[in-house]
Amino acid sequence: MGRVPVADLNRADRPRGVRARTARLLSLCRRGLPRLPVRHRARRAGATGAVEPSGTGPGTGPWTRALALLAVVLLGAWLGLLIVGNVRVPVGPMDTTMTLRPSLTGGTKINVSPLGALELDSHVAPIRLDVNVDQLDPVRSQALVDHPERISGLQDEIVRDLEHGTLDLAVRSCVAVVSGATALGLVVYRRPRPALAAGGLALTLLAACGATAFATWNPKSVLEPRFSGLLSSAPSVVGNARNIVTEFDVYQKELARLVTNVTKLYDVTSTLPAYAPDPTTIRVLHVSDIHLNPASWKIIASLVEQYKVDVIVDSGDTMDHGTAAENGFLDPVADLGAPYVWVRGNHDSMLTQRRLEHMKNVHVLDGGRAETVAGLRFAGTGDPQFTPDRSAVPGGDAAERLAGDRLASALRDQRTRGTPVDIAVAHEPVAARETDGTVPLVLAGHLHHEGTEVLEYGTRLRIEGSTGGSGLRAVEGRYPDPIEASILYVDRDTHRLQAWDAIRLGGLGQTTAEVSRHLPEENQPGARHAPPAPSSPGP
């Protein structure tokens, strides 16, 4: 009995050209690129030796081609938007970048680095508008400073800038999606007709998305934003939506003032006079209560450079709520140019403390721990209370005094071992006062205003003001808190305080800068007595 070749069976049982089409589709799948058949050609059945899988029918071809075309359109449009689909737009005194991005939920996302982002449910469409605030333009900001009457028209100017930017973005996005889809179509299909079809379909989809966004546009979404990052604390500062609506003119003026005065603040710090001390002194920069003000890092870095600071001491409340989302705010600490000694404040959580403990050049002091940094021996304790946690009952002054007693005991132990501490650090002055008689100098903060006093047994207490101008709270009052810091000059041999410069910058809305020199009583002209050594309190 003769055998019939498989090729003859295929020719006899299957429509002409099916095997050839199957071979082409399998080849394309192996290459990983979707490609439509160019033309049905009749080929000899034995030319490829491929056999069509069972269950494949002629009805799957159109669906495969449609899905492949849709994949090319979506991928090409996305690549086009990613590469060229953004515009740089000046909005008031700020430079921004506006971009359209594919999204399942739509809406608008405004990124304000390094503070975080806010999201608006502005529309429902498969595209999202991203607005990145890149920088504050110093020329346009200075123009607002020189001509404050222009602030009243700032809102209208911003609206015009946004309308112009949105129009440019729409045109550029159309060109981007059409070009991207057409280019990818040429790469995949290698023929102009399907490539042009891909470009036309991309334009149609973008127009449909734009029409959907326009139809679902919600201008009231700005009253109910979602905050992330450091901006998550903004609602507690600016109030609720009702207040914003009823007092919009007040918020408009305050916001414009806040934006323009950042430039003035930077200008002031760059021109501060610097003191050239004797090289035998150690220069300590004391800061406190930064409260998430990003301008503080610029100010601290400027002071470190101008005063040739050897070590920075932060007496706490660097954060506002102590959440993990705020930890990114601490990143500039590693690049300030000097060792950073830190104790926990009542707004700093253990999450904050652990983040700082893992950063280079940072020395976290807690529970009386002592370290020698830049030739001085420091010891400190974290605040025993974390007030943002409403589930915990605060211990009040009694808890602070107990923490201070433990710090004083650790200071006495250090002195007994022959390693006396030069400077103690605590956040709360109530706790700091308990160290009287155990250390020459103790530093604190918390009160948001500076002060100094010599305690009963000879210890000098130095309280620092808010180096962050009370942080985001600076916009609450008519006269914001000033930004304060101190440069302490410590003798390199005796480790005693020789003098200090109190630095005071006008709060947001003011441009004053004041540096005042202070001398301990024993170093004032005419003083003949040596500095008294701290004496331990009696039993």
Side-chain angles (χ1 to χ4, degrees):
M1 181 176 179
R3 296 184 177 178
V4 180
V6 174
D8 293 340
L9 289 175
N10 287 332
R11 282 199 300 266
D13 296 340
R14 301 190 180 274
R16 188 175 181 179
V18 171
R19 293 182 65 255
R21 291 197 300 272
T22 303
R24 287 200 299 274
L25 288 174
L26 291 174
S27 176
L28 289 173
C29 290
R30 286 193 295 270
R31 289 162 54 190
L33 288 172
R35 181 178 177 186
L36 298 180
V38 176
R39 183 181 299 170
H40 295 293
R41 298 176 180 173
R43 295 186 178 179
R44 293 184 58 88
T48 62
V51 181
E52 182 182 5
S54 60
T56 302
T60 59
W63 287 106
T64 303
R65 290 194 294 271
L67 291 175
L69 179 60
L70 182 61
V72 169
V73 168
L74 294 178
L75 181 59
W78 179 76
L79 290 175
L81 287 175
L82 190 64
I83 297 172
V84 296
N86 59 74
V87 294
R88 294 193 53 113
V89 181
V91 178
M94 298 172 291
D95 290 331
T96 68
T97 301
M98 302 176 65
T99 313
L100 288 180
R101 290 284 182 259
S103 172
L104 296 178
T105 57
T108 300
K109 185 175 183 180
I110 303 174
N111 298 299
V112 188
S113 178
L115 297 178
L118 57 92
E119 298 182 23
L120 309 175
D121 293 327
S122 57
H123 61 276
V124 179
I127 52 173
R128 184 185 73 198
L129 174 62
D130 284 357
V131 181
N132 294 316
V133 179
D134 299 326
Q135 63 180 359
L136 190 70
D137 185 87
V139 176
R140 298 197 300 273
S141 299
Q142 190 62 44
L144 286 175
V145 173
D146 297 337
H147 303 281
E149 67 276 3
R150 293 181 54 186
I151 293 179
S152 60
L154 185 60
Q155 179 186 2
D156 295 334
E157 179 184 345
I158 289 176
V159 171
R160 288 193 300 269
D161 291 340
L162 287 174
E163 290 176 349
H164 178 72
T166 304
L167 180 60
D168 287 350
L169 179 62
V171 174
R172 191 177 185 91
S173 297
C174 289
V175 174
V177 299
V178 171
S179 302
T182 303
L184 187 59
L186 284 174
V187 172
V188 173
Y189 299 120
R190 298 188 179 89
R191 296 189 65 215
R193 288 185 62 185
L196 292 175
L201 181 56
L203 181 60
T204 302
L205 291 176
L206 181 62
C209 292
T212 304
F214 180 79
T216 59
W217 182 254
N218 177 23
K220 295 183 179 180
S221 61
V222 70
L223 300 179
E224 297 179 353
R226 294 188 302 275
F227 297 89
S228 62
L230 304 183
L231 287 178
S232 58
S233 60
S236 63
V237 176
V238 302
N240 57 33
R242 183 180 302 276
N243 290 339
I244 295 177
V245 173
T246 57
E247 301 178 13
F248 184 79
D249 57 333
V250 177
Y251 280 90
Q252 174 187 339
K253 293 176 183 178
E254 290 299 313
L255 183 60
R257 190 162 64 95
L258 175 63
V259 170
T260 56
N261 284 316
V262 170
T263 299
K264 292 195 289 185
L265 185 61
Y266 286 174
D267 290 342
V268 168
T269 57
S270 64
T271 57
L272 280 175
Y275 171 64
D278 187 278
T280 61
T281 62
I282 301 173
R283 292 165 294 282
V284 180
L285 172 59
H286 183 200
V287 301
S288 188
D289 296 86
I290 292 173
H291 284 291
L292 284 180
N293 188 345
S296 298
W297 301 131
K298 174 78 174 182
I299 295 169
I300 293 172
S302 176
L303 293 174
V304 169
E305 180 179 0
Q306 293 178 58
Y307 282 83
K308 309 303 179 186
V309 168
D310 296 295
V311 57
I312 305 167
V313 178
D314 185 344
S315 50
D317 272 6
T318 312
M319 302 302 212
D320 230 358
H321 296 85
T323 62
E326 295 175 342
N327 278 346
F329 174 76
L330 300 170
D331 291 345
V333 171
D335 301 315
L336 291 177
Y340 200 86
V341 177
W342 182 85
V343 297
R344 188 178 67 252
N346 61 293
H347 282 264
D348 303 317
S349 68
M350 292 303 298
L351 288 173
T352 304
Q353 180 162 317
R354 284 192 288 270
R355 175 63 177 265
L356 284 166
E357 286 173 344
H358 289 87
M359 295 181 66
K360 65 176 183 179
N361 221 26
V362 176
H363 305 267
V364 175
L365 305 180
D366 195 8
R369 178 184 177 187
E371 283 195 38
T372 300
V373 184
L376 295 174
R377 191 151 182 84
F378 296 88
T381 187
D383 198 295
Q385 304 178 94
F386 179 53
T387 52
D389 183 7
R390 303 300 182 185
S391 65
V393 179
D397 288 352
E400 299 294 343
R401 282 192 288 269
L402 179 59
D405 285 340
R406 291 172 177 170
L407 176 58
S409 176
L411 294 173
R412 285 190 289 267
D413 291 343
Q414 289 287 330
R415 189 164 56 186
T416 301
R417 297 190 190 105
T419 55
V421 171
D422 303 310
I423 301 176
V425 190
H427 177 66
E428 246 277 10
V430 173
R433 286 187 172 90
E434 298 301 314
T435 65
D436 187 16
T438 62
V439 68
L441 176 64
V442 59
L443 305 180
H446 185 67
L447 300 182
H448 291 205
H449 61 79
E450 65 89 25
T452 185
E453 62 179 291
V454 178
L455 302 177
E456 180 181 1
Y457 296 102
T459 294
R460 181 177 297 276
L461 170 62
R462 172 68 190 161
I463 303 172
E464 191 54 78
S466 174
T467 312
S470 298
L472 290 175
R473 297 177 181 84
V475 300
E476 288 182 332
R478 183 176 181 182
Y479 300 103
D481 291 344
I483 291 176
E484 296 179 303
S486 297
I487 303 292
L488 312 178
Y489 302 103
V490 181
D491 186 271
R492 194 175 295 273
D493 295 327
T494 65
H495 294 182
R496 292 304 181 97
L497 181 67
Q498 300 298 302
W500 72 90
D501 288 342
I503 300 169
R504 180 185 177 98
L505 306 178
L508 297 174
Q510 306 175 36
T511 57
T512 59
E514 181 180 292
V515 181
S516 56
R517 170 63 47 78
H518 301 269
L519 298 175
E521 293 78 2
E522 62 270 16
N523 289 345
Q524 292 180 1
R528 297 181 179 179
H529 57 278
S535 59
S536 299

